[in-house]
Amino acid sequence: MDHPSQPSVRHFDHCPWLFADGATEEQRAAQREVQRAVGGDTGIGERCYVAQSAAVFPDRLRLGDDSYIAAHAYVTGELDTGSHCTLNPFTTVRGNVVLGHGVRIGAHTSLLGFNHSMAPDRPVFRQPLTSRGILVGDDVWIGSHVIVVDGVTIGDHCVIGAGAVVTRDLPAWSVAAGNPARVLRDRREVRGVGAAPAPSGMRPDDRRTPTTRPAPDPEPGAAPADNPQPAPHHRRPAQMAAAADTEAAAAAPGRQPDDSRTPTTRPAPDPEPGAPRDRPAVRVAGAAGAEVAGAVGAEVADLSGIRPGGDRTPTARPAPDPRTATLAAFADTARDQAAGLLDRCWDGERYVDRPGAVPTVRAHCDAVEIADLLLGAVPEHLSAEEHIGRLSGLQDPKSGLVPEFGEPLPVTDADGFIGEGAALYHVLCVGYALDMLGPGLPHPVHGVRDMTARQLVVRLDALPWRTDAWGAGAWVDSLATAAHWNLRHRDGGDNGHGTPESLFGWLLTRADPWTGMWGSPSAEEGRLQVVNGYYRLTRGSFAQFGLPVPYPERVVDAVLDHARDARHFGPGRENACNVLDVAHPLWLCTQQLGRGADGYRSGEIHDWAERQLATVLPRWQDGRGFGFGPGAAGPGPEPGLQGTEMWLAIVWYLADLLGRSGELGYRPRGIHRPEPARQGIAGLS
């Protein structure tokens, strides 16, 4: 029994921040037993507390040091937290949820990292589960009675007011409130003062770890600052109502929820309904910011300038970086003109890459990606159901392949899959367009499903690695993406042949330890084929499946060397493929090697990204978008859907290499998504 003067277990359950300093040895031993009794795949850090009265039934739990789960919290699914995270009393965390360092979650708040559909063909309780996950960055304060729905990312340093319903991503430093939650201002902007430095005790890189123990968690309660100056609203792509049953993924690299689980038709636990995902975003700007702040009915705290000891003495702040304003202005321009540039490429019946071109399958998919990226909607020329119907109807049910308009079905090789042609890329673009719209590809890609491990190895050995490394990498991209889609189908696995495992085994044993790549450079093109092939190969394999690439330092060395080749990166010579195929590998490797000042060759990466952004942004043509760029590959310099879709993704990757992607207010969700579409495979994850 507890001593009468000693705080009881019930006391610690409700005030767990007192446990570390106030518990007896007997109580500490009892807490260790509580932690050991938590089921599932569990790892709990040092100086943590799990309330005895909490309902903690995870499939996977990683609780970082100095974190706690307080009284009557309800935790299921997969929860991964950094250090100094707090789940206060009656918090609900379900599905796939990832928290950064120093995240404070108020009482009665719900983070719902899963959902189920509401199609009319079956009762609600029999609808399949979906889970895209929730990601919360570092140094985030979420007030009481907040609801965060599946698929949302909350950036570093955000504060969310009590009672908010968060249905869309929030950029770093946002102060947000309301239903649906809207950005009221930038947390660094206090009564007209410029941007504040990062909180004391944080490292200057993107994996900030608090160095001081956080105080007990009050709820946001102070009124917003007078005349708030809000950050640009981060418009996360939202599903249309017809496709609301599969929510969008948003997870930070290195902390990705696993959204690969195939929906089932078993009776599903019922997540609390969130706000509709297709509600329009509201940009709070100018005087409207103060008006919204008074209307939302949720108060938020002003934490800028708080020192670790809790004293509110403001600190001097430098002026805002004008480069971030440039990114925000570019993104606003692109959003404002998105509908017009899509109109420009609609011929009245189908989509064309640019006026005068013939309709293509890729053009339709690019239109879907652009509308999703910038407008959070489907292109308005067709309803969501019509987009789904048209794209789904293109897939041949017997082979799972999608031919080009007006062309016959591709002839498959002896192993059942194709070797070249537009249908290879359609595995990517049609699959991801349908993934964003909701249902995904209706049929498996049978040639990949039925391919044996031996057939795969023979095909990989025969690919033109020395003469056409880009083509070889593109083939791997298509095969690996087909394997990913197949794993979503009940009848679409690899029939026990182990195709994905064989693919990764071959790639890991064939990577050049001097460059980390596959293929050989040439005197005529330098590393162009090798680097561009590396992007395509790793996009579909390691990046898509969330697995680390081999020899990342050597990859960075090779890619930076290639980026200095004036034949491909001289003034006026950059096209979308060549820039993307440098930006993505650098970004992918920095996720493994670390970012910020201490990252491998980070200064050179930063400088290259800065130069590219300065070159790219002025190339936007009003009402027309981006041209792909010069060179033999791609559609050329005329602005069109392919160039626009690719450069928008490139701008995001360049900005993210600089730590400023949050200023854009968009995040790719399709082919160029930064998160894995699947977290590992059996035996390798």
Side-chain angles (χ1 to χ4, degrees):
M1 293 182 59
D2 295 322
H3 189 276
S5 62
Q6 172 67 29
S8 65
V9 169
R10 182 170 179 272
H11 189 141
F12 287 133
D13 273 12
H14 288 81
C15 306
W17 55 88
L18 301 177
F19 182 82
D21 296 328
T24 65
E25 285 305 315
E26 183 180 0
Q27 289 170 330
R28 295 180 196 280
Q31 173 57 201
R32 288 192 291 271
E33 289 301 318
V34 170
Q35 294 183 14
R36 278 194 286 268
V38 175
D41 176 9
T42 299
I44 298 177
E46 299 293 328
R47 299 173 301 280
C48 290
Y49 187 87
V50 177
Q52 196 171 67
S53 59
V56 184
F57 307 116
D59 297 323
R60 181 181 186 277
L61 173 65
R62 294 293 183 271
L63 195 63
D65 295 346
D66 300 290
S67 298
Y68 62 73
I69 300 173
H72 306 292
Y74 179 28
V75 178
T76 66
E78 300 183 5
L79 172 62
D80 191 333
T81 87
S83 60
H84 297 271
C85 289
T86 64
L87 278 63
N88 277 294
F90 298 96
T91 297
T92 295
V93 179
R94 305 188 66 192
N96 294 331
V97 178
V98 179
L99 309 180
H101 299 295
V103 176
R104 323 293 283 173
I105 301 176
H108 297 277
T109 283
S110 296
L111 276 62
L112 307 175
F114 75 113
N115 209 333
H116 59 63
S117 59
M118 54 182 179
D121 62 340
R122 70 193 75 178
V124 169
F125 78 95
R126 293 193 182 277
Q127 297 288 340
L129 281 176
T130 61
S131 182
R132 297 294 189 170
I134 292 170
L135 173 77
V136 180
D138 299 336
D139 178 42
V140 172
W141 181 6
I142 302 176
S144 287
H145 294 277
V146 172
I147 296 173
V148 182
V149 302
D150 189 31
V152 165
T153 290
I154 298 171
D156 295 346
H157 315 299
C158 286
V159 174
I160 301 174
V165 178
V166 185
T167 63
R168 297 175 182 268
D169 289 1
L170 296 174
W173 296 103
S174 296
V175 175
N179 180 5
R182 304 168 183 175
V183 176
L184 304 180
R185 62 180 177 87
D186 189 300
R187 178 179 152 195
R188 295 165 292 186
E189 297 173 355
V190 184
R191 295 178 176 85
V193 180
S200 177
M202 298 290 184
R203 298 197 307 268
D205 61 19
D206 286 340
R207 299 289 300 168
R208 300 177 179 90
T209 304
T211 56
T212 57
R213 180 163 185 155
D217 189 22
E219 307 310 330
D226 295 334
N227 301 318
Q229 301 296 317
H233 188 82
H234 188 168
R235 296 185 177 186
R236 181 178 188 278
Q239 303 288 20
M240 298 299 286
D245 53 335
T246 50
E247 297 293 307
R255 304 197 297 253
Q256 298 93 337
D258 179 2
D259 62 350
S260 62
R261 287 178 282 185
T262 303
T264 63
T265 55
R266 62 180 172 80
D270 191 20
E272 295 83 341
R277 301 305 301 271
D278 57 335
R279 296 184 67 165
V282 178
R283 181 182 289 113
V284 185
E291 186 175 291
V292 171
V296 294
E299 296 180 331
V300 295
D302 174 12
L303 299 184
S304 301
I306 296 181
R307 297 200 294 245
D311 119 29
R312 289 182 171 266
T313 306
T315 56
R317 297 169 175 84
D321 188 340
R323 296 170 297 180
T324 58
T326 299
L327 284 172
F330 160 76
D332 284 343
T333 297
R335 274 189 286 269
D336 292 341
Q337 297 180 10
L341 69 89
L342 291 172
D343 285 341
R344 175 177 178 265
C345 297
W346 171 254
D347 71 0
E349 195 63 35
R350 290 185 292 191
Y351 291 97
V352 297
D353 181 73
R354 56 202 180 282
V358 298
T360 61
V361 173
R362 177 169 184 162
H364 192 158
C365 299
D366 286 337
V368 171
E369 292 234 17
I370 292 168
D372 184 276
L373 193 70
L374 295 178
L375 302 175
V378 299
E380 61 183 10
H381 309 97
L382 301 170
S383 68
E385 293 88 347
E386 289 171 322
H387 282 289
I388 293 169
R390 285 198 181 188
L391 291 172
S392 296
L394 297 174
Q395 190 184 27
D396 173 54
K398 291 185 178 180
S399 66
L401 299 174
V402 177
E404 186 55 89
F405 292 140
E407 295 184 4
L409 193 68
V411 177
T412 60
D413 295 331
D415 56 22
F417 196 44
I418 53 176
E420 59 184 7
L424 274 177
Y425 196 79
H426 294 167
V427 173
L428 280 64
C429 66
V430 176
Y432 271 104
L434 285 169
D435 189 54
M436 289 184 291
L437 291 167
L441 284 171
H443 310 289
V445 181
H446 293 273
V448 174
R449 182 197 66 176
D450 299 332
M451 187 179 294
T452 67
R454 177 163 181 75
Q455 287 174 321
L456 175 60
V457 170
V458 169
R459 175 68 79 102
L460 289 168
D461 286 339
L463 290 174
W465 297 104
R466 291 187 177 276
T467 59
D468 184 15
W470 180 89
W475 188 88
V476 171
D477 190 2
S478 182
L479 175 122
T481 303
H484 162 60
W485 301 134
N486 287 350
L487 288 169
R488 291 188 171 184
H489 287 273
R490 290 181 181 178
D491 61 342
D494 62 2
N495 287 345
H497 299 318
T499 297
E501 292 88 340
S502 299
L503 171 64
F504 283 101
W506 191 95
L507 294 174
L508 289 168
T509 56
R510 301 307 199 282
D512 181 352
W514 295 101
T515 65
M517 299 187 174
W518 299 265
S520 304
S522 69
E524 296 78 16
E525 295 183 299
R527 296 186 187 273
L528 180 66
Q529 288 278 339
V530 179
V531 172
N532 289 10
Y534 180 87
Y535 160 69
R536 286 296 304 272
L537 183 153
T538 55
R539 191 222 70 84
S541 55
F542 293 93
Q544 187 164 236
F545 283 77
L547 295 171
V549 297
Y551 313 114
E553 293 95 341
R554 303 293 76 78
V555 172
V556 170
D557 293 341
V559 169
L560 288 176
D561 179 68
H562 168 64
R564 291 191 292 269
D565 192 332
R567 290 172 292 182
H568 315 300
F569 294 92
R573 296 187 180 183
E574 307 94 339
N575 64 39
C577 268
N578 293 350
V579 178
L580 175 63
D581 297 357
V582 169
H584 187 275
L586 290 177
W587 182 91
L588 184 63
C589 290
T590 60
Q591 309 313 302
Q592 291 177 222
L593 298 173
R595 305 176 68 178
D598 296 330
Y600 184 72
R601 299 187 70 173
S602 60
E604 295 165 82
I605 294 171
H606 187 281
D607 291 345
W608 181 84
E610 285 278 17
R611 290 195 303 272
Q612 291 300 321
L613 267 184
T615 301
V616 170
L617 295 183
R619 291 181 177 173
W620 176 270
Q621 298 187 33
D622 282 343
R624 306 171 75 202
F626 284 116
F628 177 89
E638 174 70 14
L641 296 180
Q642 181 179 339
T644 300
E645 186 275 323
M646 290 185 70
W647 282 113
L648 286 171
I650 292 165
V651 168
W652 187 91
Y653 278 103
L654 294 172
D656 204 61
L657 284 169
L658 301 171
R660 303 206 304 266
S661 60
E663 296 295 328
L664 290 166
Y666 68 75
R667 185 182 183 91
R669 287 202 311 132
I671 290 173
H672 301 116
R673 56 181 287 163
E675 297 82 30
R678 178 174 299 277
Q679 193 66 48
I681 58 174
L684 288 175
S685 55

